[in-house]
Amino acid sequence: MTSQYFSAILLCMIIHQACINDIDRMMAIIKACIAVHQSRGIFQWTERYPDRKIISGDIERKHLFVARNSLDGPILGLAAVDPFGTNEVHENVSWDCNETPVFIARVAVDPASQGQGIGNRLFSYAEQFARCRGSQSLRLDVDALQEQLVSMYERRGYTIRSSVWYDNPPKEFYAMEKEVTPIDIHWASDNELPNIFTIRHKVFTEGQDVSKELEQDGLDDQAKHVILYDNTTPVGCARIRWVSLDKEGSETKTLVYWKVERLAVLESARRKGYGTLVMDWIIREARENTLSGLTLHAQKHLEQFYRSFGFLPDGKPFVEAGIQHITMTLKLK
C-alpha cells in the first residue's frame, strides 16, 4: 500500500520521503530546535537524541519524511513514522491495541518557519501514512513536564497509558496511544467495481449534476481502477487509462502516460486527506511502472491541489460536463 514514493500534499505543503542528501539540512533543523527548546527550559531533546546516527537509520529504513512548500524549496520540517519505536522502557506499558503499532517521533520544524501549521500537517501526514501501513495503534512519548504539548496530543485523540523514564538521572515521559482504523488502497478487482460506480454516482451524478450518460462513458472496460477503504468501507476511487503524447520539445516521440480520471471521495469521508492519498498512490505506481508521466482534466477549482503534486497546466480552460476544467500534466523522472 505504500512505498518510497509515498508523499502527501496538505494545503500546498509537499511532504515526501527523506533521502540521505537531506541529512545536513535536517540535522541543522534539529540543532536549531534543541537550542530554542533549551533556551525555554525544555530538555526533551539533547545533543544525544536525535543524533545523526538515528536520523540516518530513519532514512535507511524509509521511516522519515520531510516537508517543503514547493517541489524545489528548502526542507521546513521532518517527522518519523517508526514501527520499531517500542523499546525496553515500554515493557510495563498497558497498550490498548497491538495491531501493527507505530511510533510517531522526531517531529521538528525549522524555528524560522514555525507558527505556519507545518508541524500539524506533518503530524497529520504521519498518522495517515501509519494507517496506510495497516496500523491500528499510533504511539508517542512526550515529556511529562510539557503540559501544553500533552494537552495538544490529547486533543488529537491520544491517551496517556503510563509513565516511562529516559536519561540519567531518569526523566519522566508519558507513553500515549491513539487507536485508529486502517486505510487500504489497491487496484480494484471486477467484484469491487459496483462499489466504485456507487461512489462515482454519489459524487458526480448526485453531487455535481453530471448526467449518468456522461459519467458512465463506456470507457471503464478499457481502464484500471483504484479503490480506497477506510477500515472496510469503500470511500474513494479513481480510474486510470493509458494515453500517448507524441511530442516533447523539439523531439518527436511516443510517450506513455496514464490519464487520471474519476477521482472521487464520498462527501462523508472528505477533509481527511483521502483524495491526496489516492493521488499519491497513483503517482507511486506510475513511477514503479516507469511511466513518462500523468495527465488529467482537473476541475478548475482543484487546479492548486494538482499543482502541489507537480502537475502543470497544458492548454486553456475548457468546459466538460458543464464544469470548467483545465488539462494538467506531470512529467516523471
Side-chain angles (χ1 to χ4, degrees):
M1 290 180 288
T2 57
S3 83
Q4 61 179 317
Y5 297 113
F6 192 103
S7 62
I9 314 319
L10 299 169
L11 298 178
C12 302
M13 183 64 59
I14 298 175
I15 301 176
H16 62 87
Q17 187 179 313
C19 69
I20 197 63
N21 291 338
D22 300 324
I23 193 167
D24 288 340
R25 171 61 179 161
M26 289 188 288
M27 294 310 302
I29 290 175
I30 290 169
K31 184 177 180 180
C33 287
I34 290 173
V36 171
H37 292 168
Q38 292 186 355
S39 71
R40 299 171 180 171
I42 301 171
F43 296 92
Q44 178 160 332
W45 285 1
T46 68
E47 286 70 19
R48 299 188 305 275
Y49 178 89
D51 62 15
R52 195 177 185 93
K53 182 178 179 180
I54 290 171
I55 297 301
S56 296
D58 285 335
I59 295 171
E60 182 179 350
R61 292 188 294 271
K62 301 180 173 62
H63 296 161
L64 192 65
F65 302 89
V66 295
R68 309 173 190 266
N69 58 14
S70 66
L71 290 170
D72 57 355
I75 293 171
L76 303 177
L78 60 138
V81 183
D82 188 355
F84 306 113
T86 304
N87 55 51
E88 61 274 6
V89 304
H90 300 101
E91 288 179 356
N92 297 320
V93 176
S94 297
W95 304 109
D96 272 17
C97 180
N98 286 296
E99 295 295 327
T100 321
V102 299
F103 262 75
I104 298 177
R106 299 179 277 289
V107 181
V109 176
D110 183 352
S113 300
Q114 291 179 4
Q116 302 177 34
I118 297 170
N120 181 61
R121 297 172 200 177
L122 271 165
F123 205 93
S124 295
Y125 169 83
E127 291 182 326
Q128 290 177 340
F129 179 81
R131 292 178 66 195
C132 280
R133 291 176 62 94
S135 177
Q136 298 181 47
S137 174
L138 309 182
R139 301 173 180 180
L140 57 86
D141 290 332
V142 58
D143 187 338
L145 297 178
Q146 301 306 308
E147 295 179 358
Q148 288 186 333
L149 201 54
V150 173
S151 295
M152 183 196 74
Y153 290 137
E154 288 177 330
R155 290 194 298 272
R156 294 191 71 103
Y158 289 80
T159 300
I160 297 173
R161 299 303 187 203
S162 181
S163 291
V164 294
W165 302 86
Y166 286 95
D167 297 332
N168 187 19
K171 184 177 181 182
E172 185 181 19
F173 284 69
Y174 291 142
M176 304 185 74
E177 181 184 32
K178 176 181 179 179
E179 294 185 70
V180 294
T181 56
I183 296 170
D184 180 21
I185 307 174
H186 59 256
W187 293 115
S189 67
D190 289 344
N191 293 335
E192 293 172 299
L193 289 179
N195 289 332
I196 288 174
F197 296 149
T198 296
I199 293 171
R200 284 167 39 181
H201 178 79
K202 290 181 178 179
V203 171
F204 298 120
T205 305
E206 295 181 3
Q208 297 186 333
D209 201 27
V210 175
S211 70
K212 183 176 180 181
E213 290 73 23
L214 284 176
E215 202 291 302
Q216 296 284 330
D217 58 3
L219 298 176
D220 287 308
D221 289 344
Q222 304 173 18
K224 295 181 70 173
H225 298 267
V226 181
I227 190 165
L228 181 149
Y229 288 86
D230 182 341
N231 201 7
T232 58
T233 303
V235 298
C237 64
R239 184 175 81 179
I240 301 297
R241 290 193 301 120
W242 288 260
V243 297
S244 63
L245 304 182
D246 294 326
K247 189 172 183 180
E248 183 183 59
S250 60
E251 181 181 358
T252 300
K253 59 183 178 180
T254 299
L255 302 172
V256 179
Y257 273 60
W258 278 350
K259 186 179 181 186
V260 183
E261 302 173 319
R262 305 298 194 272
L263 175 64
V265 176
L266 291 177
E267 185 175 4
S268 60
R270 290 175 191 165
R271 293 171 293 279
K272 297 181 179 180
Y274 292 163
T276 292
L277 295 180
V278 172
M279 278 303 305
D280 176 85
W281 190 92
I282 291 170
I283 292 171
R284 184 267 289 181
E285 287 289 313
R287 289 185 187 276
E288 291 189 351
N289 284 275
T290 64
L291 272 292
S292 299
L294 298 104
T295 186
L296 52 82
H297 292 173
Q299 294 189 14
K300 195 68 173 65
H301 71 280
L302 292 174
E303 179 180 346
Q304 187 57 47
F305 170 75
Y306 291 112
R307 278 183 179 272
S308 297
F309 289 94
F311 283 85
L312 295 175
D314 185 8
K316 296 180 179 180
F318 60 93
V319 175
E320 186 174 75
I323 301 170
Q324 192 174 38
H325 286 71
I326 187 166
T327 299
M328 302 188 75
T329 301
L330 171 65
K331 294 181 180 179
L332 297 178
K333 294 181 180 179

